[in-house]
Amino acid sequence: SKPSEDGRTVFQVPVGETTMFPPGKSLKLAEIKDGMSKTIVLVECDDARAVVWTKPDDWAFDPHQPFSGLGGHFQQVVLVALGDGSVRAVATSVDQATLRAHFTAAGGEVANLP
């Protein structure tokens, strides 16, 4: 069945040590040094990672494979939301370093999503 048919969602918060949502910790706005417009706060996961929408479950960010488990609903793009509230369709052809940079909250990378 599709996620929408059984009360599931594919939109999740990325968690990981370098993300805006490190496990067991809350970041203050001042700690998000890369800027809200450069930091991903929500991702579109594939159907296999769909969760019950009321369950507080998150997507584990893997810095070595930043596209792992994402997308699959639209051809050649993954939907993400940034900390400033904007939503982007990120091409799956974007290099991994650029995508990885947008998952870090204070990595200091200079990168722009095309």
Side-chain angles (χ1 to χ4, degrees):
S1 71
K2 294 184 179 185
S4 61
E5 293 172 348
D6 59 3
R8 295 179 176 269
T9 184
V10 294
F11 293 99
Q12 296 176 37
V13 169
V15 295
E17 290 301 323
T18 60
T19 70
M20 201 151 110
F21 304 99
K25 184 179 175 188
S26 295
L27 293 183
K28 293 182 171 83
L29 193 55
E31 294 176 282
I32 304 165
K33 299 192 183 294
D34 290 351
M36 297 297 277
S37 66
K38 301 279 187 177
T39 306
I40 295 173
V41 298
L42 190 69
V43 293
E44 169 207 5
C45 297
D46 60 26
D47 286 348
R49 288 171 178 75
V51 296
V52 175
W53 73 271
T54 56
K55 181 180 178 187
D57 206 352
D58 305 304
W59 175 76
F61 169 64
D62 180 350
H64 302 292
Q65 298 179 346
F67 274 108
S68 179
L70 297 182
H73 302 101
F74 304 97
Q75 287 190 352
Q76 302 175 351
V77 297
V78 172
L79 299 179
V80 301
L82 300 170
D84 65 354
S86 64
V87 176
R88 302 285 300 270
V90 178
T92 54
S93 61
V94 166
D95 67 272
Q96 289 190 14
T98 298
L99 185 62
R100 185 180 310 112
H102 283 80
F103 277 109
T104 65
E109 308 93 343
V110 177
N112 291 305
L113 290 172

